[in-house]
Amino acid sequence: MSSEISLTRDPAHLRQGSNIGQPLTRRDGVLKVTGRARYAADNHPPGMLYAVLATSSIARGRVAFLNVAAAKAHPGVVEVMTPANRPPLADDPDAKAHPFMFRLDLLQNDGVRYAQQTIAVVIAQTLEAATEGAALLAPRYDVLPPRIGLDAGEPFVPPAVGVGNPASERHGDVEAALGHAAHRVEATYETPLQYHNAMEPHAIVAAWDGDILSIDTPTQGLAMAQGRLAGLLGMPPDRIHIRSPFLGGGFGSKGLISGPQILGVLAARLVGRPVKLVLRRDQMYGPVGHRSASRQRLRLGVAADGTLTAIDHHARIASSSFDDFYEPAANASHSLYASAAIATSHDAVRVDTGTPLFMRAPGEATGSLALESAIDEAAHACGMDPLAFRLRNYADIEPMTGKPFSSKALRECYTQGAERFGWARRPLAPRQMRDEAGFLVGWGMGTATFPALMFAAEARAVLRRDGSGVMETGAHDMGQGAWTALAQIAGDALGLDVDAVTFQAGTSDLPDAGIAGGSAHTATAGMAIHNAGAAVIAKLAALATTDRRSPLFGADNAGVTARNGRLFRRDDDGRSESYGDILARAGLAEVEARGNGAADPAAQSTYAMHAHGAVYAEVKVDPDLGQIRVSRLVGAFAAGRIINPRMVRSQLLGGMIWGVSFTLHEEAVMDRRSGRTLNANLAEYHVPVNADVPSLDVVTVDEHDPHVNALGIKGVGEIGVTGSAGAVANAVWHATGVRPRHFPIRLDHLLTPH
Ligand code: MOS
């Protein structure tokens, strides 16, 4: 990374010699705002051709005819790749060796299983020629009626949901508890099909040099992408070099390499030239994942004193006709509220869409919106304030498993957020507040939760005789600030200032940093960095403590500590030696070690590990037109150790905006007859713009977690959307007295309650 960027320092942390905790600005910020950051599609290797996808306008059936001759005759068109001439693959793209290997459409036959599926790839001298060639293909189809929507196919119970959880789980007797309850809430909530819509489309520049493949493409999972390509192409992974220094957002859609990206590689193979392939925005609505619609039924039982006695949460979701990702929406009810009886279950339908994929808090975003709405309904049924109701039902242990929490500062989140928001002044009944313009004003809240996950990562650390350090891991910065936060961890791990460390990330040639997903990247890659640093320091310490010429001679390795480029005796008797002196005396230019990051299975089986938060929302609703504006959003979050408060705040702000978006904006509208998305563009697929984003306030609540990992990191990437979506919905109820159960909330829902 460029070293010319000035970083913001917190003097208190500097005095302690710690990079962790400093609010550094993002290391790639200047490169991005000056246009010097090179995204995948910015690459133009010599001799490069342009590939354009021809995609299906039907959702189910087969391609009966393509006018390949017309496309090939078009000036500038070099080749048309169809099932007839697509280079051979070593693996069937429909084979599935493990749950996170998704079936892909790589022109393996003439079948069509969703709209916008690739049916041919046109390769030409220019983007324009390729685009025109694709139009000349003029496909004809044999069409079958598509199955679209949650009632379109036979429901079935998936064998597993999410990361391998059973589809149904229960503890206690929900039916008996509901039977005895003083208050019962039963409600059904519907959430729409959504698309990730990262700003940067999926793009690839692929170049073959003999049997070496070089790729520029955005990915949240370099090693997984490399492994998937190696399997499909039948070649050793180390001959595939993937560069992914910058992502213009991912939100899960770049977690697994997609079919179109691999078609770019095959196109380059076919023509023997480098090829660039960039998805058009509408082509993102099909082959690169989405969030399924959901229909969720909540039944809550509450005793006369406001104690929850039963939570029953059922979710219907959809998956594609040919693969099996299911969003585990009901599992949000496992851990949030104490209840003697909890049951969660899922069923699914197979529909003619692309396969859904993890997207911005998969499960928790969808499920917590329904749960938090139902909790609000239950508080109202008991005549209780929603915060008091949540505190009455605070879970001191994880109710579904009985495990203690590794840490849980949710109570502090509730109180600090409430104070900041002014919650105590909230009238209990809805429709009580108006602003000076006569708009109805409502206040609502939601609880935020996301599991503290870890995957597996490796890092390589080097200390050099000149006193500098190197840390290498194939980490991914999709805009979240990973390069900055991980470099800070690297600085501490090596006992150096962050500016003395060269942090290398973003290519598949580096050790595998694990997927940047599940809000687990900082913890996973961070622990690999931490352990690689500890290992290299231990090697250095061994050189010093076993050498009579060192002032540290005789201290064992555990008896030294590293900071500011020196090793000190831990008993702090004043003796120390610089890294440079130790290496020089040993006659070494550098010393190197590796380390791994992974979850601790013993801690995981003992403790429930989640980040938490509380979000408070104020909305204003036009009493005549039903128009909704979010005017204030306050979120208080506890997520273990905060590596960089500036990046974390930014992550949480973004997540809270996703919450606004979930509740009020995002919806892919499907045409049930054609199976096409009617609003497959950023004009009609609504996401919040600046004018939609209210005053936002983020509080990070101190939380020390000794169990999640040695660094105490829980992750903040996705939790912001949870809680926020429900808070906005509950505020709309409080403003209007109309309970939103269909999302996104539209103004006609408020004018004609249904
Ligand atoms: Mo996240 S949906 O795991 O990128």
Side-chain angles (χ1 to χ4, degrees):
M1 291 302 310
S2 167
S3 56
E4 71 213 290
I5 296 160
S6 72
L7 304 172
T8 308
R9 300 309 184 117
D10 175 343
H13 282 282
L14 271 186
R15 276 196 298 278
Q16 293 157 14
S18 177
N19 302 288
I20 290 177
Q22 291 195 47
L24 305 191
T25 54
R26 65 182 68 232
R27 308 188 92 203
D28 47 351
V30 171
L31 293 177
K32 284 181 172 171
V33 298
T34 55
R36 281 181 292 154
R38 186 184 281 251
Y39 289 80
D42 296 332
N43 290 285
H44 303 267
M48 186 188 82
L49 299 175
Y50 295 82
V52 163
L53 300 180
T55 56
S56 165
S57 61
I58 68 162
R60 186 180 173 212
R62 60 176 283 273
V63 179
F65 175 74
L66 284 174
N67 197 343
V68 174
K72 283 187 82 162
H74 189 73
V77 171
V78 172
E79 189 52 277
V80 177
M81 186 166 74
T82 69
N85 65 345
R86 188 264 278 144
L89 293 172
D91 250 1
D92 177 1
D94 276 315
K96 189 158 175 126
H98 57 82
F100 284 105
M101 176 182 277
F102 278 46
R103 299 190 168 104
L104 297 172
D105 292 285
L106 300 178
L107 298 173
Q108 59 263 46
N109 53 49
D110 62 6
V112 173
R113 36 199 194 185
Y114 54 89
Q116 296 290 15
Q117 180 191 315
T118 305
I119 55 174
V121 182
V122 179
I123 306 139
Q125 302 286 353
T126 63
L127 177 63
E128 291 74 14
T131 303
E132 288 155 13
L136 290 168
L137 288 170
R140 287 202 299 271
Y141 303 96
D142 294 334
V143 188
L144 290 168
R147 297 154 296 189
I148 297 293
L150 289 171
D151 300 306
E154 272 300 296
F156 67 99
V157 175
V161 292
V163 285
N165 298 79
S168 295
E169 294 182 69
R170 60 175 56 243
H171 98 105
D173 188 340
V174 160
E175 297 304 331
L178 283 168
H180 295 124
H183 307 280
R184 271 181 292 274
V185 167
E186 176 166 350
T188 299
Y189 306 90
E190 302 214 19
T191 66
L193 193 154
Q194 301 173 343
Y195 280 93
H196 303 80
N197 266 319
M199 240 197 302
E200 179 202 27
H202 290 58
I204 188 162
V205 176
W208 290 88
D209 179 6
D211 61 353
I212 307 279
L213 173 61
S214 298
I215 296 172
D216 295 283
T217 199
T219 175
Q220 299 171 234
L222 282 158
M224 285 175 81
Q226 186 190 42
R228 185 70 164 120
L229 278 166
L232 285 164
L233 298 169
M235 58 192 283
D238 61 7
R239 296 212 187 121
I240 301 172
H241 305 284
I242 309 178
R243 293 178 292 257
S244 185
F246 301 102
L247 287 81
F251 311 132
S253 74
K254 292 168 183 161
L256 304 171
I257 191 165
S258 66
Q261 286 163 294
I262 297 170
L263 287 167
V265 171
L266 295 172
R269 186 56 140 183
L270 182 67
V271 295
R273 306 253 303 261
V275 161
K276 179 187 302 196
L277 191 158
V278 182
L279 263 62
R280 258 190 349 240
R281 179 59 58 178
D282 62 302
Q283 294 174 338
M284 309 264 292
Y285 290 71
V288 296
H290 66 274
R291 191 202 294 281
S292 163
S294 82
R295 181 182 301 139
Q296 302 177 61
R297 188 189 62 160
L298 266 293
R299 294 189 300 157
L300 304 183
V302 191
D305 68 350
T307 305
L308 267 170
T309 54
I311 302 174
D312 180 35
H313 190 163
H314 175 77
R316 166 162 302 179
I317 46 233
S319 196
S320 71
S321 66
F322 57 95
D323 215 324
D324 52 13
F325 181 88
Y326 309 94
E327 177 142 350
N331 292 356
S333 288
H334 286 175
S335 59
L336 262 189
Y337 298 103
S339 173
I342 300 178
T344 59
S345 55
H346 299 83
D347 72 0
V349 291
R350 292 206 177 279
V351 297
D352 297 307
T353 65
T355 303
L357 192 57
F358 23 84
M359 170 170 156
R360 306 182 210 142
E364 281 74 15
T366 318
S368 78
L369 172 55
L371 175 62
E372 290 303 296
S373 295
I375 289 288
D376 205 66
E377 298 202 37
H380 179 62
C382 311
M384 282 179 76
D385 171 77
L387 174 56
F389 184 78
R390 284 173 173 82
L391 290 168
R392 171 77 50 87
N393 294 294
Y394 194 84
D396 289 306
I397 56 165
E398 185 175 61
M400 193 59 141
T401 60
K403 290 181 193 175
F405 291 100
S406 59
S407 64
K408 182 178 178 181
L410 175 57
R411 216 182 281 279
E412 292 75 11
C413 296
Y414 281 140
T415 53
Q416 290 184 28
E419 189 157 317
R420 195 85 147 225
F421 185 84
W423 183 260
R425 300 193 308 274
R426 177 184 180 274
L428 198 54
R431 248 188 132 85
Q432 298 300 302
M433 297 192 291
R434 297 229 178 199
D435 73 356
E436 53 294 347
F439 288 91
L440 295 162
V441 177
W443 290 358
M445 67 172 296
T447 307
T449 184
F450 199 77
L453 303 173
M454 284 183 74
F455 305 114
E458 192 188 14
R460 176 175 173 267
V462 179
L463 289 171
R464 294 190 185 132
R465 199 194 282 197
D466 67 2
S468 69
V470 179
M471 188 65 76
E472 297 179 340
T473 186
H476 314 87
D477 199 323
M478 46 183 162
Q480 84 277 42
W483 279 10
T484 310
L486 293 175
Q488 290 175 255
I489 296 172
D492 280 22
L494 295 173
L496 291 170
D497 186 88
V498 65
D499 284 342
V501 178
T502 303
F503 180 70
Q504 304 276 16
T507 94
S508 65
D509 298 341
L510 300 171
D512 177 8
I515 190 170
S519 302
H521 202 38
T522 311
T524 309
M527 278 305 299
I529 288 167
H530 176 79
N531 288 329
V536 79
I537 294 291
K539 283 190 178 174
L540 196 67
L543 291 174
T545 58
T546 56
D547 187 333
R548 291 185 178 281
R549 294 166 294 174
S550 167
L552 302 173
F553 176 70
D556 70 18
N557 287 349
V560 300
T561 154
R563 65 178 184 272
N564 300 327
R566 304 181 74 81
L567 297 184
F568 294 81
R569 285 183 70 108
R570 206 176 275 282
D571 55 17
D572 243 344
D573 67 349
R575 280 183 282 173
S576 73
E577 190 170 32
S578 76
Y579 300 172
D581 288 348
I582 297 169
L583 288 170
R585 198 182 43 246
L588 295 172
E590 60 180 47
V591 59
E592 178 244 11
R594 287 176 178 255
N596 292 295
D600 169 3
Q604 286 209 314
S605 61
T606 310
Y607 297 101
M609 299 175 177
H610 303 271
H612 293 97
V615 182
Y616 297 84
E618 177 183 88
V619 301
K620 298 187 174 180
V621 180
D622 185 316
D624 301 315
L625 302 176
Q627 189 184 49
I628 304 163
R629 292 271 176 213
V630 183
S631 44
R632 282 198 298 143
L633 214 47
V634 175
F637 297 92
R641 168 152 343 160
I642 300 305
I643 302 301
N644 180 321
R646 182 192 303 269
M647 300 292 116
V648 163
R649 177 171 181 276
S650 177
Q651 287 270 80
L652 294 170
L653 291 175
M656 288 162 68
I657 296 168
W658 296 345
V660 174
S661 196
F662 200 122
T663 305
L664 298 180
H665 299 271
E666 289 185 69
E667 175 174 23
V669 180
M670 302 295 290
D671 176 359
R672 282 162 203 269
R673 291 158 304 177
S674 69
R676 289 197 291 263
T677 305
L678 294 170
N679 55 341
N681 58 74
L682 280 180
E684 294 166 297
Y685 182 95
H686 292 167
V687 294
V689 297
N690 277 339
D692 297 306
V693 174
S695 150
L696 297 169
D697 193 4
V698 171
V699 183
T700 44
V701 172
D702 286 339
E703 188 176 68
H704 173 68
D705 193 316
H707 305 296
V708 275
N709 47 60
L711 290 166
I713 299 169
K714 285 183 173 174
V716 294
E718 291 162 283
I719 190 172
V721 64
T722 75
S724 302
V728 172
N730 295 335
V732 169
W733 171 79
H734 190 241
T736 62
V738 178
R739 176 62 63 182
R741 296 202 182 107
H742 188 99
F743 299 98
I745 308 169
R746 297 199 313 256
L747 51 81
D748 52 303
H749 298 163
L750 301 181
L751 299 175
T752 324
H754 64 275

